[in-house]
Amino acid sequence: MIIERIMSINGMNALLQRPTYSSLLAEYIVQTENPISWIIPKYTKFGGETGESTFEHIARYLTESGDMVNNESLKVKHFPSSLPKAAFTWFTTLPPNSIDSWPKLEKLFHEQFYEGHSKIILVELSNIKIRFAKTIDDYLNRFRSLKEKCFTQVLEHELVQMAAGGLDYSIRKNIDPTFVKSMSQLADRVRHLERLRLEKVRHTKAKAKKEKVAYID
């Protein structure tokens, strides 16, 4: 108070203006009223800690919201109630009146908190090896399943290069990923090479058996 009085006497009171809070949500969202008798759920919290899945949190939030999910404004309005700690701090740093739709809020949420997990997933994708799968289809299905957990957008030809990198060298040396445009093309190419390899093995065994019989005779 003493400092404020001195600054006021010296014409410096303009510097004492305190910040005022402005909602980050669009005005029409703030003014949306809850349905009569609707009780705000005790939402599961997302603190932005390592290992937390943003997709799981969104799914849980929508499930816990019940019928409210049919009202986009209410979905947006109550989402901050599920954000404590660092996650809520991040939310308060968004520009005033910048959130005007659920897709925009969800996109920003994923971009902020899913990045680290996505990097881990991309490393895992690059390290998948076909030797841990029984067939090429098992390998590619496991590859696609892991990719679905990654929020980072990866172009199809980049996925092909990652998947091709995990194939056995005997197969990989006969595939040029630059000419394979999709995962389905990669699967067809690998199946073709597998058929050729099996035919060669059968031919070799048949030839060896024939030579053995001829030798005995």
Side-chain angles (χ1 to χ4, degrees):
M1 292 178 62
I2 295 175
I3 294 175
E4 290 181 2
R5 193 173 297 116
I6 294 174
M7 294 182 71
S8 179
I9 293 173
N10 289 275
M12 301 173 64
N13 53 332
L15 300 176
L16 298 176
Q17 294 180 354
R18 294 179 174 83
T20 56
Y21 175 78
S22 297
S23 176
L24 316 174
L25 308 177
E27 185 65 24
Y28 80 92
I29 292 178
V30 175
Q31 294 180 355
T32 303
E33 297 183 357
N34 298 330
I36 299 175
S37 74
W38 183 72
I39 300 176
I40 300 178
K42 293 182 178 179
Y43 291 114
T44 301
K45 307 298 184 181
F46 179 93
E49 306 294 336
T50 303
E52 289 183 284
S53 168
T54 57
F55 281 101
E56 288 183 10
H57 179 69
I58 291 293
R60 189 180 296 110
Y61 170 76
L62 296 179
T63 300
E64 293 173 344
S65 295
D67 294 337
M68 190 190 71
V69 296
N70 298 318
N71 188 313
E72 179 170 303
S73 294
L74 289 179
K75 280 195 301 183
V76 175
K77 183 177 181 178
H78 292 287
F79 186 69
S81 298
S82 69
L83 305 178
K85 302 178 182 179
F88 189 77
T89 300
W90 158 78
F91 180 76
T92 62
T93 63
L94 298 175
N97 304 311
S98 61
I99 306 301
D100 55 8
S101 69
W102 172 256
K104 184 174 184 178
L105 175 57
E106 183 178 358
K107 179 177 181 293
L108 290 172
F109 177 67
H110 286 308
E111 288 177 346
Q112 175 66 25
F113 294 104
Y114 209 91
E115 180 181 1
H117 187 63
S118 291
K119 290 179 180 178
I120 294 174
I121 295 297
L122 289 175
V123 171
E124 293 180 2
L125 281 172
S126 300
N127 291 334
I128 291 181
K129 303 299 180 183
I130 195 173
R131 63 175 176 270
F132 298 117
K134 294 181 179 179
T135 66
I136 181 59
D137 290 317
D138 291 335
Y139 169 69
L140 294 180
N141 286 336
R142 190 154 57 90
F143 195 89
R144 292 191 187 96
S145 177
L146 188 58
K147 173 60 185 72
E148 290 175 357
K149 299 178 181 179
C150 180
F151 185 69
T152 300
Q153 296 298 317
V154 181
L155 298 178
E156 184 75 7
H157 74 273
E158 294 176 341
L159 285 177
V160 170
Q161 292 179 357
M162 287 183 182
L167 298 172
D168 288 337
Y169 176 73
S170 59
I171 298 176
R172 190 172 69 248
K173 68 180 182 179
N174 294 306
I175 296 178
D176 186 348
T178 59
F179 294 101
V180 181
K181 304 302 181 182
S182 67
M183 297 291 283
S184 59
Q185 287 184 1
L186 177 64
D188 290 341
R189 179 60 178 163
V190 173
R191 292 190 193 99
H192 176 68
L193 292 174
E194 279 290 292
R195 286 194 295 270
L196 292 179
R197 184 184 67 82
L198 292 175
E199 290 176 3
K200 183 177 180 180
V201 170
R202 285 194 294 268
H203 177 74
T204 301
K205 288 183 178 180
K207 182 179 179 180
K209 184 176 181 180
K210 185 176 180 180
E211 291 177 348
K212 182 178 181 180
V213 172
Y215 176 77
I216 294 176
D217 292 340

